[in-house]
Short mmCIF file of all heavy atoms in Angstrom, two decimals:
data_model
loop_
_atom_site.label_atom_id
_atom_site.label_comp_id
_atom_site.label_asym_id
_atom_site.label_seq_id
_atom_site.Cartn_x
_atom_site.Cartn_y
_atom_site.Cartn_z
N MET A 1 0.84 -1.20 0.00
CA MET A 1 -0.01 -0.01 -0.01
C MET A 1 0.85 1.22 0.05
O MET A 1 2.09 1.19 -0.18
CB MET A 1 -0.94 0.00 1.21
CG MET A 1 -2.10 -1.01 1.11
SD MET A 1 -3.17 -0.72 -0.26
CE MET A 1 -4.11 0.67 0.42
N GLY A 2 0.24 2.44 0.32
CA GLY A 2 0.97 3.66 0.23
C GLY A 2 2.12 3.79 1.20
O GLY A 2 1.99 3.37 2.36
N LYS A 3 3.22 4.33 0.68
CA LYS A 3 4.35 4.57 1.52
C LYS A 3 4.90 5.94 1.15
O LYS A 3 4.61 6.40 0.07
CB LYS A 3 5.46 3.52 1.23
CG LYS A 3 5.46 2.30 2.14
CD LYS A 3 6.72 1.58 2.00
CE LYS A 3 6.96 0.72 3.31
NZ LYS A 3 8.34 0.12 3.26
N PRO A 4 5.66 6.58 2.05
CA PRO A 4 6.27 7.86 1.71
C PRO A 4 7.12 7.71 0.42
O PRO A 4 7.74 6.61 0.22
CB PRO A 4 7.19 8.22 2.88
CG PRO A 4 6.56 7.52 4.01
CD PRO A 4 5.91 6.26 3.44
N ARG A 5 7.15 8.69 -0.44
CA ARG A 5 7.76 8.59 -1.75
C ARG A 5 9.19 8.22 -1.63
O ARG A 5 9.71 7.41 -2.43
CB ARG A 5 7.63 9.93 -2.48
CG ARG A 5 8.16 9.95 -3.93
CD ARG A 5 8.11 11.31 -4.50
NE ARG A 5 8.82 12.28 -3.71
CZ ARG A 5 10.13 12.47 -3.71
NH1 ARG A 5 10.90 11.72 -4.55
NH2 ARG A 5 10.72 13.34 -2.93
N ARG A 6 9.93 8.75 -0.58
CA ARG A 6 11.34 8.47 -0.51
C ARG A 6 11.66 7.01 -0.22
O ARG A 6 12.78 6.58 -0.36
CB ARG A 6 12.01 9.43 0.46
CG ARG A 6 11.59 9.21 1.90
CD ARG A 6 12.29 10.22 2.81
NE ARG A 6 11.95 9.96 4.21
CZ ARG A 6 10.93 10.40 4.83
NH1 ARG A 6 10.04 11.16 4.16
NH2 ARG A 6 10.66 10.13 6.08
N HIS A 7 10.69 6.27 0.36
CA HIS A 7 10.93 4.87 0.68
C HIS A 7 10.88 4.00 -0.54
O HIS A 7 11.26 2.83 -0.50
CB HIS A 7 9.94 4.37 1.70
CG HIS A 7 10.18 4.98 3.05
ND1 HIS A 7 9.35 4.76 4.12
CD2 HIS A 7 11.09 5.85 3.52
CE1 HIS A 7 9.81 5.33 5.16
NE2 HIS A 7 10.82 6.08 4.85
N HIS A 8 10.39 4.54 -1.72
CA HIS A 8 10.32 3.76 -2.93
C HIS A 8 11.49 4.11 -3.81
O HIS A 8 11.77 5.28 -4.03
CB HIS A 8 9.03 4.01 -3.71
CG HIS A 8 7.83 3.29 -3.14
ND1 HIS A 8 7.65 1.94 -3.40
CD2 HIS A 8 6.83 3.68 -2.37
CE1 HIS A 8 6.55 1.56 -2.80
NE2 HIS A 8 6.03 2.59 -2.16
N THR A 9 12.09 3.14 -4.41
CA THR A 9 13.12 3.44 -5.43
C THR A 9 12.38 3.74 -6.70
O THR A 9 11.26 3.37 -6.89
CB THR A 9 14.07 2.24 -5.65
OG1 THR A 9 13.31 1.15 -6.11
CG2 THR A 9 14.82 1.88 -4.40
N LYS A 10 13.11 4.42 -7.63
CA LYS A 10 12.56 4.73 -8.96
C LYS A 10 12.24 3.39 -9.66
O LYS A 10 11.28 3.29 -10.41
CB LYS A 10 13.59 5.53 -9.79
CG LYS A 10 13.74 6.91 -9.33
CD LYS A 10 14.89 7.62 -10.08
CE LYS A 10 15.23 8.96 -9.45
NZ LYS A 10 16.50 9.51 -10.00
N SER A 11 13.10 2.43 -9.42
CA SER A 11 12.93 1.12 -10.05
C SER A 11 11.59 0.48 -9.63
O SER A 11 10.81 -0.03 -10.45
CB SER A 11 14.05 0.19 -9.68
OG SER A 11 13.82 -1.13 -10.13
N ARG A 12 11.25 0.55 -8.30
CA ARG A 12 10.03 0.01 -7.85
C ARG A 12 8.82 0.74 -8.52
O ARG A 12 7.86 0.07 -8.87
CB ARG A 12 9.92 0.16 -6.38
CG ARG A 12 10.47 -1.02 -5.54
CD ARG A 12 10.21 -0.79 -4.08
NE ARG A 12 8.86 -0.89 -3.71
CZ ARG A 12 8.31 -2.04 -3.23
NH1 ARG A 12 9.01 -3.13 -3.04
NH2 ARG A 12 7.03 -2.09 -2.88
N THR A 13 8.90 2.05 -8.53
CA THR A 13 7.79 2.83 -9.13
C THR A 13 7.66 2.43 -10.60
O THR A 13 6.54 2.23 -11.09
CB THR A 13 8.11 4.32 -9.05
OG1 THR A 13 8.38 4.67 -7.71
CG2 THR A 13 6.97 5.14 -9.59
N ASN A 14 8.75 2.29 -11.34
CA ASN A 14 8.69 1.99 -12.76
C ASN A 14 8.15 0.58 -12.97
O ASN A 14 7.45 0.31 -13.91
CB ASN A 14 10.06 2.15 -13.39
CG ASN A 14 10.47 3.62 -13.52
OD1 ASN A 14 9.64 4.49 -13.43
ND2 ASN A 14 11.83 3.88 -13.61
N MET A 15 8.56 -0.32 -12.04
CA MET A 15 8.09 -1.73 -12.16
C MET A 15 6.52 -1.73 -12.00
O MET A 15 5.82 -2.50 -12.66
CB MET A 15 8.78 -2.60 -11.14
CG MET A 15 10.18 -2.97 -11.54
SD MET A 15 10.80 -4.38 -10.59
CE MET A 15 11.26 -3.58 -9.06
N ARG A 16 6.01 -0.95 -11.00
CA ARG A 16 4.58 -0.89 -10.81
C ARG A 16 3.90 -0.31 -12.03
O ARG A 16 2.86 -0.81 -12.45
CB ARG A 16 4.25 0.00 -9.56
CG ARG A 16 2.78 -0.03 -9.17
CD ARG A 16 2.56 0.83 -7.97
NE ARG A 16 2.76 2.27 -8.20
CZ ARG A 16 3.70 2.98 -7.56
NH1 ARG A 16 4.47 2.43 -6.67
NH2 ARG A 16 3.80 4.28 -7.82
N ARG A 17 4.48 0.70 -12.62
CA ARG A 17 3.85 1.40 -13.72
C ARG A 17 4.01 0.61 -15.08
O ARG A 17 3.45 1.08 -16.08
CB ARG A 17 4.44 2.83 -13.92
CG ARG A 17 3.96 3.74 -12.77
CD ARG A 17 4.57 5.10 -12.83
NE ARG A 17 4.18 5.91 -11.69
CZ ARG A 17 4.65 7.07 -11.42
NH1 ARG A 17 5.52 7.67 -12.21
NH2 ARG A 17 4.21 7.74 -10.36
N SER A 18 4.81 -0.40 -15.00
CA SER A 18 4.96 -1.20 -16.30
C SER A 18 3.64 -1.84 -16.74
O SER A 18 3.47 -2.23 -17.87
CB SER A 18 6.01 -2.25 -16.10
OG SER A 18 5.53 -3.31 -15.23
N HIS A 19 2.67 -1.92 -15.81
CA HIS A 19 1.35 -2.54 -16.20
C HIS A 19 0.30 -1.48 -16.61
O HIS A 19 -0.80 -1.86 -16.91
CB HIS A 19 0.77 -3.30 -14.96
CG HIS A 19 1.71 -4.44 -14.54
ND1 HIS A 19 1.77 -5.65 -15.15
CD2 HIS A 19 2.65 -4.43 -13.57
CE1 HIS A 19 2.66 -6.37 -14.54
NE2 HIS A 19 3.21 -5.72 -13.57
N GLN A 20 0.68 -0.21 -16.56
CA GLN A 20 -0.31 0.87 -16.81
C GLN A 20 -0.48 1.26 -18.23
O GLN A 20 -1.25 2.12 -18.54
CB GLN A 20 0.05 2.10 -15.95
CG GLN A 20 -0.13 1.84 -14.43
CD GLN A 20 0.18 3.05 -13.61
OE1 GLN A 20 0.59 4.08 -14.13
NE2 GLN A 20 0.03 2.91 -12.28
N ALA A 21 0.34 0.69 -19.13
CA ALA A 21 0.21 1.09 -20.53
C ALA A 21 -1.12 0.73 -21.14
O ALA A 21 -1.72 -0.30 -20.78
CB ALA A 21 1.33 0.44 -21.37
N LEU A 22 -1.64 1.61 -22.01
CA LEU A 22 -2.92 1.38 -22.69
C LEU A 22 -2.68 0.64 -23.96
O LEU A 22 -1.70 0.90 -24.70
CB LEU A 22 -3.61 2.69 -22.95
CG LEU A 22 -4.07 3.47 -21.71
CD1 LEU A 22 -4.65 4.83 -22.17
CD2 LEU A 22 -5.10 2.73 -20.94
N ASP A 23 -3.53 -0.31 -24.28
CA ASP A 23 -3.47 -0.99 -25.56
C ASP A 23 -4.06 -0.13 -26.66
O ASP A 23 -5.04 0.55 -26.41
CB ASP A 23 -4.30 -2.32 -25.50
CG ASP A 23 -3.62 -3.35 -24.63
OD1 ASP A 23 -2.38 -3.40 -24.63
OD2 ASP A 23 -4.36 -4.12 -23.94
N PRO A 24 -3.49 -0.15 -27.88
CA PRO A 24 -4.07 0.61 -28.95
C PRO A 24 -5.39 -0.03 -29.37
O PRO A 24 -5.58 -1.22 -29.30
CB PRO A 24 -3.00 0.50 -30.09
CG PRO A 24 -2.28 -0.79 -29.73
CD PRO A 24 -2.26 -0.93 -28.24
N ILE A 25 -6.39 0.86 -29.73
CA ILE A 25 -7.71 0.36 -30.10
C ILE A 25 -7.57 -0.22 -31.53
O ILE A 25 -6.96 0.34 -32.41
CB ILE A 25 -8.83 1.42 -30.05
CG1 ILE A 25 -8.38 2.74 -30.81
CG2 ILE A 25 -9.21 1.74 -28.57
CD1 ILE A 25 -9.51 3.70 -31.02
N GLY A 26 -8.29 -1.31 -31.76
CA GLY A 26 -8.24 -1.98 -33.06
C GLY A 26 -9.13 -1.23 -34.03
O GLY A 26 -10.31 -1.16 -33.83
N LEU A 27 -8.55 -0.70 -35.12
CA LEU A 27 -9.36 0.01 -36.07
C LEU A 27 -9.29 -0.71 -37.40
O LEU A 27 -8.21 -1.23 -37.77
CB LEU A 27 -8.88 1.46 -36.25
CG LEU A 27 -9.23 2.38 -35.09
CD1 LEU A 27 -8.63 3.76 -35.37
CD2 LEU A 27 -10.73 2.49 -34.91
N VAL A 28 -10.30 -0.67 -38.19
CA VAL A 28 -10.43 -1.29 -39.50
C VAL A 28 -10.57 -0.27 -40.54
O VAL A 28 -11.15 0.82 -40.26
CB VAL A 28 -11.61 -2.30 -39.54
CG1 VAL A 28 -11.71 -2.98 -40.93
CG2 VAL A 28 -11.53 -3.32 -38.42
N THR A 29 -10.05 -0.44 -41.77
CA THR A 29 -10.21 0.57 -42.82
C THR A 29 -11.57 0.31 -43.52
O THR A 29 -11.83 -0.83 -43.92
CB THR A 29 -9.05 0.40 -43.82
OG1 THR A 29 -7.80 0.33 -43.09
CG2 THR A 29 -9.06 1.55 -44.81
N CYS A 30 -12.35 1.33 -43.68
CA CYS A 30 -13.63 1.26 -44.40
C CYS A 30 -13.37 0.90 -45.85
O CYS A 30 -12.65 1.64 -46.48
CB CYS A 30 -14.45 2.52 -44.22
SG CYS A 30 -15.95 2.55 -45.17
N PRO A 31 -14.00 -0.17 -46.39
CA PRO A 31 -13.78 -0.48 -47.79
C PRO A 31 -14.41 0.53 -48.75
O PRO A 31 -14.04 0.64 -49.93
CB PRO A 31 -14.44 -1.88 -47.98
CG PRO A 31 -15.40 -1.99 -46.90
CD PRO A 31 -14.84 -1.13 -45.74
N GLN A 32 -15.38 1.32 -48.23
CA GLN A 32 -16.10 2.30 -49.09
C GLN A 32 -15.30 3.63 -49.23
O GLN A 32 -15.09 4.12 -50.27
CB GLN A 32 -17.52 2.58 -48.51
CG GLN A 32 -18.47 3.15 -49.45
CD GLN A 32 -18.95 2.11 -50.48
OE1 GLN A 32 -18.99 0.91 -50.14
NE2 GLN A 32 -19.34 2.52 -51.60
N CYS A 33 -14.89 4.19 -48.08
CA CYS A 33 -14.25 5.50 -48.11
C CYS A 33 -12.82 5.50 -47.58
O CYS A 33 -12.19 6.54 -47.47
CB CYS A 33 -15.12 6.51 -47.37
SG CYS A 33 -15.18 6.20 -45.57
N LYS A 34 -12.32 4.32 -47.18
CA LYS A 34 -10.92 4.11 -46.73
C LYS A 34 -10.59 4.86 -45.45
O LYS A 34 -9.41 5.11 -45.14
CB LYS A 34 -9.89 4.52 -47.83
CG LYS A 34 -10.25 4.03 -49.27
CD LYS A 34 -10.25 2.53 -49.32
CE LYS A 34 -10.50 2.07 -50.78
NZ LYS A 34 -11.05 0.74 -50.76
N SER A 35 -11.57 5.28 -44.66
CA SER A 35 -11.27 5.93 -43.40
C SER A 35 -11.21 4.86 -42.27
O SER A 35 -11.73 3.78 -42.43
CB SER A 35 -12.29 6.95 -43.06
OG SER A 35 -13.57 6.39 -42.80
N LYS A 36 -10.63 5.19 -41.13
CA LYS A 36 -10.47 4.25 -40.08
C LYS A 36 -11.83 4.17 -39.26
O LYS A 36 -12.35 5.21 -38.87
CB LYS A 36 -9.38 4.71 -39.10
CG LYS A 36 -8.00 4.63 -39.73
CD LYS A 36 -7.55 3.18 -39.79
CE LYS A 36 -6.20 3.05 -40.46
NZ LYS A 36 -5.84 1.66 -40.65
N VAL A 37 -12.32 2.95 -39.08
CA VAL A 37 -13.61 2.75 -38.42
C VAL A 37 -13.47 1.67 -37.35
O VAL A 37 -12.61 0.80 -37.41
CB VAL A 37 -14.67 2.21 -39.43
CG1 VAL A 37 -16.05 2.67 -39.04
CG2 VAL A 37 -14.38 2.63 -40.88
N MET A 38 -14.31 1.73 -36.32
CA MET A 38 -14.42 0.66 -35.35
C MET A 38 -14.97 -0.61 -36.01
O MET A 38 -15.93 -0.48 -36.79
CB MET A 38 -15.32 1.09 -34.18
CG MET A 38 -14.78 2.23 -33.38
SD MET A 38 -13.61 1.74 -32.12
CE MET A 38 -14.71 1.29 -30.80
N PRO A 39 -14.44 -1.80 -35.74
CA PRO A 39 -14.97 -3.00 -36.41
C PRO A 39 -16.40 -3.34 -36.02
O PRO A 39 -16.80 -3.07 -34.91
CB PRO A 39 -14.02 -4.11 -35.95
CG PRO A 39 -13.35 -3.54 -34.73
CD PRO A 39 -13.31 -2.06 -34.83
N HIS A 40 -17.16 -3.90 -36.99
CA HIS A 40 -18.59 -4.32 -36.80
C HIS A 40 -19.46 -3.12 -36.47
O HIS A 40 -20.49 -3.27 -35.71
CB HIS A 40 -18.68 -5.37 -35.67
CG HIS A 40 -17.78 -6.55 -35.87
ND1 HIS A 40 -17.91 -7.45 -36.86
CD2 HIS A 40 -16.65 -6.90 -35.21
CE1 HIS A 40 -16.93 -8.36 -36.86
NE2 HIS A 40 -16.15 -8.04 -35.78
N ARG A 41 -19.16 -1.98 -37.02
CA ARG A 41 -20.01 -0.78 -36.82
C ARG A 41 -20.19 -0.03 -38.15
O ARG A 41 -19.31 -0.14 -39.00
CB ARG A 41 -19.42 0.17 -35.78
CG ARG A 41 -19.63 -0.30 -34.36
CD ARG A 41 -18.71 0.39 -33.37
NE ARG A 41 -18.78 -0.07 -32.01
CZ ARG A 41 -18.26 -1.16 -31.56
NH1 ARG A 41 -17.51 -1.94 -32.41
NH2 ARG A 41 -18.39 -1.55 -30.30
N VAL A 42 -21.29 0.64 -38.27
CA VAL A 42 -21.50 1.47 -39.44
C VAL A 42 -20.51 2.58 -39.51
O VAL A 42 -20.17 3.24 -38.53
CB VAL A 42 -22.99 2.07 -39.41
CG1 VAL A 42 -23.18 2.95 -40.61
CG2 VAL A 42 -23.96 0.94 -39.40
N CYS A 43 -19.92 2.81 -40.71
CA CYS A 43 -18.97 3.83 -40.88
C CYS A 43 -19.59 5.23 -40.68
O CYS A 43 -20.68 5.49 -41.26
CB CYS A 43 -18.34 3.76 -42.30
SG CYS A 43 -17.19 5.07 -42.68
N SER A 44 -19.03 6.05 -39.82
CA SER A 44 -19.64 7.38 -39.51
C SER A 44 -19.36 8.35 -40.64
O SER A 44 -20.10 9.42 -40.71
CB SER A 44 -19.11 7.87 -38.21
OG SER A 44 -17.66 7.96 -38.22
N SER A 45 -18.40 8.18 -41.49
CA SER A 45 -18.14 9.17 -42.47
C SER A 45 -18.86 8.96 -43.81
O SER A 45 -19.17 9.87 -44.54
CB SER A 45 -16.59 9.29 -42.74
OG SER A 45 -16.08 8.04 -43.10
N CYS A 46 -19.18 7.65 -44.14
CA CYS A 46 -19.95 7.41 -45.38
C CYS A 46 -21.26 6.65 -45.13
O CYS A 46 -22.10 6.58 -46.00
CB CYS A 46 -19.07 6.64 -46.37
SG CYS A 46 -18.68 4.92 -45.88
N GLY A 47 -21.50 6.12 -43.91
CA GLY A 47 -22.75 5.53 -43.56
C GLY A 47 -22.95 4.10 -44.14
O GLY A 47 -24.08 3.62 -44.17
N PHE A 48 -21.89 3.47 -44.58
CA PHE A 48 -21.99 2.12 -45.20
C PHE A 48 -21.58 1.07 -44.18
O PHE A 48 -20.76 1.27 -43.31
CB PHE A 48 -21.05 2.02 -46.39
CG PHE A 48 -21.78 2.48 -47.71
CD1 PHE A 48 -22.03 3.82 -47.92
CD2 PHE A 48 -22.06 1.53 -48.60
CE1 PHE A 48 -22.64 4.18 -49.08
CE2 PHE A 48 -22.64 1.96 -49.83
CZ PHE A 48 -22.96 3.27 -50.04
N TYR A 49 -22.26 -0.12 -44.27
CA TYR A 49 -21.89 -1.32 -43.51
C TYR A 49 -22.15 -2.51 -44.39
O TYR A 49 -23.25 -2.66 -44.87
CB TYR A 49 -22.66 -1.33 -42.17
CG TYR A 49 -22.24 -2.54 -41.30
CD1 TYR A 49 -20.94 -2.55 -40.75
CD2 TYR A 49 -23.05 -3.57 -41.08
CE1 TYR A 49 -20.51 -3.60 -40.02
CE2 TYR A 49 -22.64 -4.65 -40.29
CZ TYR A 49 -21.46 -4.72 -39.73
OH TYR A 49 -20.95 -5.75 -39.00
N LYS A 50 -21.19 -3.40 -44.48
CA LYS A 50 -21.25 -4.60 -45.30
C LYS A 50 -21.74 -4.25 -46.72
O LYS A 50 -22.56 -4.95 -47.24
CB LYS A 50 -22.14 -5.66 -44.65
CG LYS A 50 -21.50 -6.44 -43.55
CD LYS A 50 -22.43 -7.51 -43.07
CE LYS A 50 -21.73 -8.41 -42.04
NZ LYS A 50 -22.65 -9.44 -41.53
N GLY A 51 -21.23 -3.18 -47.33
CA GLY A 51 -21.57 -2.83 -48.65
C GLY A 51 -22.91 -2.21 -48.91
O GLY A 51 -23.32 -2.02 -50.01
N GLU A 52 -23.68 -2.01 -47.80
CA GLU A 52 -25.03 -1.41 -47.87
C GLU A 52 -25.02 -0.04 -47.21
O GLU A 52 -24.33 0.16 -46.17
CB GLU A 52 -26.03 -2.27 -47.19
CG GLU A 52 -26.73 -3.22 -48.04
CD GLU A 52 -27.83 -3.99 -47.31
OE1 GLU A 52 -28.89 -3.36 -47.00
OE2 GLU A 52 -27.64 -5.17 -47.03
N GLU A 53 -25.77 0.89 -47.78
CA GLU A 53 -25.87 2.26 -47.22
C GLU A 53 -26.89 2.22 -46.09
O GLU A 53 -28.03 1.96 -46.30
CB GLU A 53 -26.20 3.30 -48.22
CG GLU A 53 -26.10 4.71 -47.66
CD GLU A 53 -26.41 5.75 -48.72
OE1 GLU A 53 -26.90 5.40 -49.81
OE2 GLU A 53 -26.20 6.95 -48.38
N ILE A 54 -26.47 2.36 -44.82
CA ILE A 54 -27.35 2.28 -43.67
C ILE A 54 -27.84 3.66 -43.31
O ILE A 54 -29.00 3.88 -43.00
CB ILE A 54 -26.60 1.63 -42.45
CG1 ILE A 54 -25.94 0.32 -42.87
CG2 ILE A 54 -27.63 1.40 -41.36
CD1 ILE A 54 -26.87 -0.84 -43.33
N ILE A 55 -26.93 4.64 -43.26
CA ILE A 55 -27.26 6.03 -42.84
C ILE A 55 -26.98 6.93 -44.05
O ILE A 55 -25.90 6.77 -44.72
CB ILE A 55 -26.42 6.46 -41.66
CG1 ILE A 55 -26.58 5.47 -40.46
CG2 ILE A 55 -26.83 7.88 -41.22
CD1 ILE A 55 -25.51 5.69 -39.42
N ASN A 56 -27.93 7.73 -44.41
CA ASN A 56 -27.71 8.69 -45.50
C ASN A 56 -26.92 9.91 -44.89
O ASN A 56 -27.54 10.80 -44.30
CB ASN A 56 -29.04 9.20 -46.10
CG ASN A 56 -28.80 9.92 -47.43
OD1 ASN A 56 -27.71 10.41 -47.69
ND2 ASN A 56 -29.82 9.99 -48.23
N VAL A 57 -25.61 9.89 -45.01
CA VAL A 57 -24.77 10.91 -44.39
C VAL A 57 -24.96 12.25 -45.11
O VAL A 57 -25.01 13.32 -44.47
CB VAL A 57 -23.32 10.51 -44.45
CG1 VAL A 57 -22.45 11.53 -43.77
CG2 VAL A 57 -23.14 9.14 -43.69
N LEU A 58 -25.12 12.21 -46.43
CA LEU A 58 -25.17 13.44 -47.24
C LEU A 58 -26.51 14.23 -46.89
O LEU A 58 -26.50 15.46 -46.87
CB LEU A 58 -25.13 13.10 -48.72
CG LEU A 58 -23.81 12.66 -49.21
CD1 LEU A 58 -23.94 12.28 -50.69
CD2 LEU A 58 -22.72 13.73 -49.03
N LYS A 59 -27.60 13.50 -46.59
CA LYS A 59 -28.86 14.13 -46.20
C LYS A 59 -28.65 15.05 -44.98
O LYS A 59 -29.09 16.22 -44.97
CB LYS A 59 -29.93 13.08 -45.93
CG LYS A 59 -31.33 13.57 -45.98
CD LYS A 59 -32.33 12.41 -45.72
CE LYS A 59 -32.51 12.16 -44.28
NZ LYS A 59 -33.45 11.03 -44.01
N ASP A 60 -28.01 14.48 -43.98
CA ASP A 60 -27.72 15.29 -42.72
C ASP A 60 -26.89 16.48 -43.03
O ASP A 60 -27.05 17.55 -42.46
CB ASP A 60 -27.09 14.35 -41.69
CG ASP A 60 -28.10 13.25 -41.22
OD1 ASP A 60 -29.26 13.48 -41.39
OD2 ASP A 60 -27.55 12.25 -40.69
N VAL A 61 -25.85 16.30 -43.86
CA VAL A 61 -24.97 17.41 -44.24
C VAL A 61 -25.76 18.55 -44.91
O VAL A 61 -25.57 19.69 -44.54
CB VAL A 61 -23.86 16.95 -45.23
CG1 VAL A 61 -23.06 18.11 -45.76
CG2 VAL A 61 -22.92 15.95 -44.50
N LYS A 62 -26.72 18.18 -45.83
CA LYS A 62 -27.54 19.23 -46.46
C LYS A 62 -28.34 19.96 -45.44
O LYS A 62 -28.55 21.19 -45.53
CB LYS A 62 -28.44 18.59 -47.51
CG LYS A 62 -27.70 18.30 -48.81
CD LYS A 62 -28.57 17.52 -49.81
CE LYS A 62 -27.79 17.02 -50.94
NZ LYS A 62 -28.58 16.10 -51.80
N LYS A 63 -28.94 19.23 -44.44
CA LYS A 63 -29.76 19.91 -43.38
C LYS A 63 -28.91 20.88 -42.60
O LYS A 63 -29.34 22.05 -42.34
CB LYS A 63 -30.20 18.85 -42.40
CG LYS A 63 -31.56 18.18 -42.80
CD LYS A 63 -31.95 17.23 -41.74
CE LYS A 63 -33.17 16.37 -42.20
NZ LYS A 63 -33.45 15.33 -41.24
N ASP A 64 -27.69 20.52 -42.29
CA ASP A 64 -26.75 21.39 -41.54
C ASP A 64 -26.48 22.66 -42.31
O ASP A 64 -26.46 23.74 -41.77
CB ASP A 64 -25.47 20.70 -41.16
CG ASP A 64 -25.71 19.60 -40.13
OD1 ASP A 64 -26.74 19.65 -39.43
OD2 ASP A 64 -24.83 18.72 -39.98
N VAL A 65 -26.31 22.51 -43.65
CA VAL A 65 -25.97 23.64 -44.53
C VAL A 65 -27.14 24.64 -44.49
O VAL A 65 -26.97 25.90 -44.39
CB VAL A 65 -25.65 23.19 -45.92
CG1 VAL A 65 -25.54 24.34 -46.88
CG2 VAL A 65 -24.32 22.39 -45.90
N LYS A 66 -28.39 24.09 -44.60
CA LYS A 66 -29.60 24.90 -44.57
C LYS A 66 -29.74 25.71 -43.30
O LYS A 66 -30.07 26.86 -43.27
CB LYS A 66 -30.83 24.04 -44.79
CG LYS A 66 -31.08 23.70 -46.20
CD LYS A 66 -32.30 22.74 -46.38
CE LYS A 66 -32.43 22.25 -47.82
NZ LYS A 66 -33.44 21.21 -47.93
N LYS A 67 -29.44 25.04 -42.14
CA LYS A 67 -29.58 25.68 -40.81
C LYS A 67 -28.58 26.85 -40.74
O LYS A 67 -28.92 27.89 -40.19
CB LYS A 67 -29.28 24.66 -39.74
CG LYS A 67 -30.44 23.79 -39.36
CD LYS A 67 -30.07 22.76 -38.30
CE LYS A 67 -31.19 21.73 -38.05
NZ LYS A 67 -30.79 20.64 -37.26
N LYS A 68 -27.37 26.62 -41.27
CA LYS A 68 -26.38 27.71 -41.16
C LYS A 68 -26.72 28.92 -41.94
O LYS A 68 -26.47 30.05 -41.55
CB LYS A 68 -25.05 27.17 -41.66
CG LYS A 68 -24.29 26.29 -40.55
CD LYS A 68 -23.04 25.65 -41.15
CE LYS A 68 -22.48 24.64 -40.06
NZ LYS A 68 -21.41 23.79 -40.63
N LYS A 69 -27.44 28.71 -43.15
CA LYS A 69 -27.86 29.83 -43.88
C LYS A 69 -29.07 30.55 -43.28
O LYS A 69 -29.14 31.65 -42.91
CB LYS A 69 -28.22 29.38 -45.32
CG LYS A 69 -27.01 29.08 -46.16
CD LYS A 69 -27.45 28.55 -47.52
CE LYS A 69 -26.21 28.14 -48.35
NZ LYS A 69 -26.63 27.50 -49.62
ZN1 ZN B 101 -16.76 4.73 -44.85
#
């Protein structure tokens, strides 16, 4: 458990922190638009999944443009 900092060597601290590294998240390249996507999920930039268009991304873009004007 906790001890005053000076009682720990740098080696001990580093050995404890050797387990704290984060794993990189696995990303897949979208076959439709070649952007990085989470696996087994609809692509957020083109709206395609398994070669089918699930979300009409361009429709939402047009709505946003109208709102801004
Ligand atoms: Zn895509």
Side-chain angles (χ1 to χ4, degrees):
M1 287 298 282
K3 266 195 158 189
R5 185 185 55 80
R6 66 181 184 276
H7 289 178
H8 279 284
T9 62
K10 289 171 190 171
S11 173
R12 269 184 71 97
T13 306
N14 291 339
M15 283 195 284
R16 186 180 66 244
R17 290 178 184 173
S18 71
H19 300 279
Q20 291 180 358
L22 294 173
D23 289 327
I25 50 165
L27 288 177
V28 180
T29 312
C30 173
Q32 200 74 27
C33 66
K34 314 297 181 203
S35 68
K36 291 288 179 186
V37 210
M38 296 276 277
H40 308 291
R41 281 163 184 81
V42 175
C43 176
S44 56
S45 57
C46 69
F48 272 71
Y49 183 66
K50 279 187 175 178
E52 267 185 72
E53 190 179 6
I54 309 296
I55 306 165
N56 193 341
V57 181
L58 291 175
K59 199 177 83 181
D60 293 340
V61 170
K62 281 174 190 170
K63 274 182 189 172
D64 289 343
V65 171
K66 279 176 188 173
K67 278 177 190 173
K68 279 172 188 171
K69 282 176 185 175

